[in-house]
Amino acid sequence: MRFASLGSGSGGNGLVIEAGATRVLMDCGFGLADSQARLARLGLQASDLAGIVVTHEHSDHIGGVGRLARKHKLPVWLTAGTLVMAQDLDGVAVQVIDSHAAFAVDGLEIQPFPVPHDAREPVQYVFGDGNRRLGVLTDTGSDTLHIEAMLAGVDALVLECNHDAAMLENGPYPASLKRRVGGRFGHLENGQSAALLDKLKHDKLQCVMAAHVSHKNNTAALAQRALARVLNCADDDVRVACQTAGFNWITL
């Protein structure tokens, strides 16, 4: 099992998960040509995908889903709430999922779980191949006991480190946007992410990736430092998914 990022941040998100011959894209917030170019960087074509799973309706996650899915005849999985709010899915083979029920795409088991975020019915996912499990948590404003239960025991974790509290407070956003980003239905702050990671830390955890790092209200170095303190490792040992290049394949 392996995974790689097309890019992560407010400018667009996409994560490819592969188990055997099965490859699924989680979210697509890029234009059609850009999505295809980012897939090519990973040695893939869109036709190599079994489909796209969507977390929620915000444009940096769903903006490119319709065009990619239509052109390459890819099925799309999403919650009923996300479907109500989604645009540009005409002509797409949509499959509505239960936010608490696992489903399979060929050799990949996918477990959605609900998260507190300012969208209609947002979810995040745990992906497994029967031996290894990858947990993904971005676009959530706060931790919950259910999130902790769903991510317990994962072998790898893609974890949001969206903002630094001081940078957000002193940054350029208007007060209303600062409240939204920093609120319980917004995005995780470095300290919140580190506190959650501390609860999830265990011997089998092979890789932790900081993701959805704001370019205005955070830095990669601050995110790395927060997570490295929990993992008792050097800051540079914590990887960061960037907006332009994402990250290359990581094998579990």
Side-chain angles (χ1 to χ4, degrees), residues 48-67:
D48 294 323
L49 300 172
I52 307 171
V53 296
V54 177
T55 59
H56 63 295
E57 71 270 15
H58 292 164
S59 61
D60 57 324
H61 293 264
I62 201 174
V65 169
R67 283 164 287 180

Side-chain angles (χ1 to χ4, degrees), residues 40-193:
R41 189 186 67 231
L42 300 174
L44 297 177
Q45 301 179 50
S47 58
D48 294 323
L49 300 172
I52 307 171
V53 296
V54 177
T55 59
H56 63 295
E57 71 270 15
H58 292 164
S59 61
D60 57 324
H61 293 264
I62 201 174
V65 169
R67 283 164 287 180
L68 191 68
R70 272 192 302 273
K71 181 172 178 62
H72 298 281
K73 296 180 172 55
L74 301 174
V76 172
W77 291 266
L78 73 179
T79 65
T82 299
L83 179 59
V84 167
M85 301 302 293
Q87 300 178 6
D88 192 35
L89 291 182
D90 292 343
V92 173
V94 170
Q95 301 192 41
V96 174
I97 62 172
D98 181 332
S99 62
H100 292 275
F103 61 98
V105 178
D106 298 331
L108 193 61
E109 182 181 79
I110 304 173
Q111 174 67 66
F113 58 94
V115 294
H117 190 52
D118 54 355
R120 182 67 172 266
E121 192 183 358
V123 292
Q124 294 291 301
Y125 295 96
V126 175
F127 301 88
D129 66 353
N131 295 307
R132 299 285 186 269
R133 296 166 65 238
L134 164 68
V136 183
L137 181 67
T138 68
D139 296 79
T140 182
S142 50
D143 182 19
T144 69
L145 291 176
H146 186 59
I147 288 173
E148 293 171 18
M150 296 307 301
L151 296 176
V154 296
D155 297 276
L157 179 63
V158 177
L159 179 60
E160 175 171 63
C161 291
N162 177 257
H163 60 279
D164 170 79
M167 287 186 69
L168 178 65
E169 178 63 28
N170 298 312
Y173 284 2
S176 59
L177 185 54
K178 289 179 180 180
R179 288 193 296 270
R180 173 185 170 267
V181 171
R184 66 180 294 257
F185 295 100
H187 293 271
L188 289 179
E189 186 267 341
N190 292 339
Q192 292 175 295
S193 302

Side-chain angles (χ1 to χ4, degrees), residues 230-249:
V230 175
L231 297 171
N232 297 315
C233 65
D235 293 2
D236 288 345
D237 289 339
V238 176
R239 306 186 193 188
V240 180
C242 75
Q243 180 68 85
T244 55
F247 58 83
N248 211 337
W249 291 108

Side-chain angles (χ1 to χ4, degrees), residues 198-251:
D198 195 41
K199 297 175 184 177
L200 300 173
K201 185 173 63 172
H202 60 89
D203 292 341
K204 290 199 319 176
L205 188 60
Q206 299 179 28
C207 174
V208 178
M209 178 72 63
H212 220 303
V213 177
S214 171
H215 71 281
K216 290 185 177 180
N217 300 302
N218 206 1
T219 66
L222 287 173
Q224 288 174 302
R225 186 180 308 159
L227 300 187
R229 287 175 178 172
V230 175
L231 297 171
N232 297 315
C233 65
D235 293 2
D236 288 345
D237 289 339
V238 176
R239 306 186 193 188
V240 180
C242 75
Q243 180 68 85
T244 55
F247 58 83
N248 211 337
W249 291 108
I250 295 174
T251 300

